[in-house]
Amino acid sequence: MNLHNQAFKKSAQLTPLADKLGRSCSLSDDDVEAFLALPHHFMTVEAGGYLIREGESAAHCCGMLSGFVYRHRMTRRGARQILAVHLRGDMVELNATLDYADHSVQALTRIELVHFAMSDIQELIEDHPAIGRAFHRETMVDVSVAREWIVNLGRRNARERIAHLFCELALRQEAAGLCVSPNFNWHMTQEQIADATGLTSVHVNRTVQRMRADGLISGGRSAVTVTDWPGLQAAGDFTSAYLHQA
Amino acid sequence: MNLHNQAFKKSAQLTPLADKLGRSCSLSDDDVEAFLALPHHFMTVEAGGYLIREGESAAHCCGMLSGFVYRHRMTRRGARQILAVHLRGDMVELNATLDYADHSVQALTRIELVHFAMSDIQELIEDHPAIGRAFHRETMVDVSVAREWIVNLGRRNARERIAHLFCELALRQEAAGLCVSPNFNWHMTQEQIADATGLTSVHVNRTVQRMRADGLISGGRSAVTVTDWPGLQAAGDFTSAYLHQA
DNA sequence: CGAACTTTTGACAAGCATCAACACGTGTGG
DNA sequence: CCACACGTGTTGATGCTTGTCAAAAGTTCG
């Protein structure tokens, strides 16, 4: 881990986290204030750096301020499966209340984040049950998203899987205020898209080409323009309900 | 829903739930007692009955006392994907803290369960933070299991997927005290196994036959004997870590 | 005993993987 | 500044895993 620790800064930087926490559960001003007062420290991880590796244990929790991370596990034969992607505003439980991490978390891009000690968070929750509900809700949304990925991998073909992934990334980036509507950046190589969709990079390549030819998206590498949003949603059998935004 | 409501019974019947809650997180006697005193009512659902359908909302939570349920979603084209299986001791959040159910929950067998009002549970958590932690932990384990299913569907072939599913069901049934080691009962038809593993029932059939021929399992329909436990684990690339038992 | 479900079997098609090579851009060190 | 290595995207040929369709055999239950 190439971490660059920084001194305490003013808690205003935590507002994206507090905003997302309070977006769906109602938090009082008092709750928010207590959250912002939580002991924390900032750090930066370069693209490719690990936040935690499978099997390690860490009694802390990360709040994403900028950049992208992804969770992944390996199979016996060395195949990698990406399990989730996280971006600004997401609380990334590293091992949370569990004994040790059952998967790795790695930086997709250069990221900025805050560390919280789990013990501090638990203390906070005891005094502010609404925050406990908000955290629990975020975890529930994580399960919901994971289950949509199960559907994606189990019952959709290559084009549907990729389109669905693109739709999810687009909506979540937009909700986090990272992009304006038709222009996005997945920050993923085709090989990583393959690892997220259970395909090979070769097949992802061919399928993405066909999607470009069909006018769904345009633009080369990771910077992409969605030229036909309804078409992309249809191609991905995508409905946003499972994200439980708003 | 074919529900058969019963009057209040003595809370001793809730002990399987309390046991599982307290198995991994330490709960004080006081915590357990408060949990057992939670207002609740019992019900029975016949095999095939729905606990909740996608899109509905319900402000309660179920505790499984006996039988099996499964969560599932449908795709646009009507294909079904099973997302999870639950058995005795599991708390099944129906829509939990979320607005509405993003998938259906259906009874695999005849089941007995208890209903709790979410409001009662939240109240309980405020007074007993340890119980809040225990609930949160159960949800975290649900995410971990869901993510292992993602790996299973994304990066393993038919034989591995099926073997892996069998291993998971075996271990969880054993942990719940439902079976003695070599003899199990998945309570699933081959079509349901297909819907859980992202395959077709035809291919499940052929693959299971080969597993029988290879001496991994024996016994016909859902009642099964695992004749080669290490072999089955190897065939499924199975490690139990992700279940976070004990 | 018949109806409905489940398991089994066969023939065939298709989607995706695999392997291998090449093109392209980017950064880096000689 | 060029040459080179490296990562990523692209293309082609080929084959295997799995899906599809259809029908028969076995099982359960009223």
Side-chain angles (χ1 to χ4, degrees):
Chain A
M1 278 210 287
N2 235 340
L3 300 187
H4 170 237
N5 290 28
Q6 300 177 319
F8 252 67
K9 290 186 183 176
K10 61 180 204 288
S11 51
Q13 299 203 20
L14 298 190
T15 44
L17 300 173
D19 284 353
K20 193 181 169 227
L21 260 190
R23 193 177 300 158
S24 39
C25 289
S26 52
L27 296 181
S28 70
D29 292 351
D30 190 42
D31 293 330
V32 173
E33 206 135 329
F35 174 74
L36 296 179
L38 210 55
H40 60 274
H41 62 279
F42 295 91
M43 40 181 68
T44 306
V45 182
E46 296 304 320
Y50 280 83
L51 275 70
I52 195 170
R53 282 172 202 272
E54 198 172 333
E56 288 179 359
S57 64
H60 57 253
C61 178
C62 289
M64 297 282 301
L65 297 182
S66 75
F68 291 74
V69 299
Y70 65 106
R71 305 174 184 267
H72 59 94
R73 272 184 200 155
M74 308 288 291
T75 66
R76 168 185 47 186
R77 284 200 305 264
R80 183 177 62 167
Q81 176 64 47
I82 294 182
L83 308 167
V85 175
H86 291 289
L87 38 76
R88 178 165 87 192
D90 290 351
M91 296 292 302
V92 179
E93 319 235 19
L94 291 191
N95 69 332
T97 50
L98 300 177
D99 25 8
Y100 49 84
D102 49 35
H103 61 268
S104 304
V105 181
Q106 200 170 358
L108 206 45
T109 66
R110 183 171 194 275
I111 56 171
E112 297 172 306
L113 48 81
V114 261
H115 264 195
F116 302 102
M118 280 311 293
S119 53
D120 289 331
I121 289 185
Q122 288 183 356
E123 214 169 290
L124 175 70
I125 288 175
E126 294 197 17
D127 297 336
H128 299 268
I131 292 188
R133 285 194 293 274
F135 271 112
H136 194 248
R137 186 186 196 279
E138 276 216 37
T139 307
M140 296 290 299
V141 173
D142 279 352
V143 196
S144 178
V145 172
R147 289 185 174 142
E148 184 66 25
W149 283 46
I150 291 176
V151 176
N152 211 33
L153 291 166
R155 287 294 181 226
R156 290 200 260 256
N157 65 27
R159 163 183 268 241
E160 293 170 321
R161 291 186 206 183
I162 295 170
H164 192 280
L165 175 66
F166 286 174
C167 288
E168 176 179 321
L169 292 175
L171 246 65
R172 290 177 59 199
Q173 285 190 29
E174 216 176 352
L178 297 174
C179 296
V180 277
S181 182
N183 298 307
F184 302 95
N185 195 331
W186 319 133
H187 297 289
M188 296 175 81
T189 65
Q190 292 187 349
E191 188 171 4
Q192 288 164 335
I193 294 171
D195 285 341
T197 51
L199 302 166
T200 57
S201 60
V202 173
H203 200 63
V204 166
N205 182 283
R206 294 195 230 265
T207 308
V208 169
Q209 280 181 61
R210 211 166 302 128
M211 289 167 68
R212 277 200 280 255
D214 294 345
L216 297 179
I217 55 175
S218 72
R221 317 178 68 68
S222 48
V224 177
T225 307
V226 175
T227 43
D228 180 4
W229 179 245
L232 189 66
Q233 282 182 300
D237 187 21
F238 182 84
T239 349
S240 63
Y242 75 97
L243 291 173
H244 296 281
Q245 293 174 333
Chain B
M1 276 211 289
N2 237 340
L3 301 186
H4 170 237
N5 291 30
Q6 299 178 319
F8 253 66
K9 288 187 183 173
K10 62 178 203 288
S11 52
Q13 297 203 22
L14 298 190
T15 44
L17 299 174
D19 284 353
K20 191 178 171 232
L21 260 190
R23 190 178 303 157
S24 38
C25 289
S26 52
L27 296 180
S28 70
D29 292 352
D30 190 43
D31 293 330
V32 174
E33 205 135 327
F35 174 73
L36 296 179
L38 210 54
H40 59 276
H41 63 279
F42 295 91
M43 40 181 67
T44 305
V45 181
E46 296 305 321
Y50 280 84
L51 275 71
I52 194 170
R53 285 173 201 269
E54 198 172 332
E56 288 179 358
S57 64
H60 56 254
C61 176
C62 290
M64 297 282 303
L65 298 180
S66 75
F68 291 73
V69 299
Y70 65 106
R71 305 175 184 265
H72 60 94
R73 274 186 199 154
M74 308 288 290
T75 66
R76 169 183 48 184
R77 285 199 304 263
R80 184 177 60 167
Q81 176 64 48
I82 294 182
L83 307 167
V85 175
H86 291 289
L87 38 76
R88 178 165 86 193
D90 291 350
M91 295 293 301
V92 179
E93 318 233 24
L94 292 192
N95 69 335
T97 51
L98 300 178
D99 25 7
Y100 50 84
D102 49 36
H103 60 267
S104 304
V105 181
Q106 199 170 358
L108 208 46
T109 65
R110 183 172 194 274
I111 56 171
E112 297 171 307
L113 47 82
V114 261
H115 263 194
F116 303 103
M118 280 309 294
S119 53
D120 289 332
I121 289 185
Q122 288 184 355
E123 212 171 292
L124 175 71
I125 288 175
E126 293 197 19
D127 298 335
H128 299 269
I131 292 188
R133 285 194 293 274
F135 271 113
H136 194 250
R137 186 186 197 279
E138 276 216 39
T139 307
M140 295 291 299
V141 174
D142 280 351
V143 196
S144 179
V145 172
R147 290 186 172 140
E148 184 65 26
W149 282 47
I150 290 176
V151 176
N152 211 34
L153 292 165
R155 287 294 180 224
R156 290 200 261 255
N157 64 27
R159 164 182 269 242
E160 293 171 320
R161 291 185 207 183
I162 295 169
H164 192 280
L165 175 67
F166 286 174
C167 287
E168 176 179 322
L169 292 174
L171 246 64
R172 289 177 58 198
Q173 286 190 29
E174 215 177 354
L178 297 174
C179 295
V180 276
S181 183
N183 300 305
F184 301 95
N185 195 332
W186 318 133
H187 298 289
M188 296 175 82
T189 66
Q190 291 186 349
E191 188 171 3
Q192 288 163 334
I193 294 171
D195 285 341
T197 51
L199 303 166
T200 58
S201 60
V202 172
H203 199 63
V204 167
N205 182 282
R206 294 195 229 266
T207 309
V208 168
Q209 280 182 60
R210 210 166 304 130
M211 288 167 68
R212 277 200 280 255
D214 294 344
L216 298 178
I217 56 174
S218 70
R221 318 178 66 63
S222 48
V224 175
T225 307
V226 174
T227 42
D228 179 3
W229 179 245
L232 189 66
Q233 282 183 297
D237 186 21
F238 183 85
T239 347
S240 64
Y242 76 96
L243 291 173
H244 296 279
Q245 294 174 333

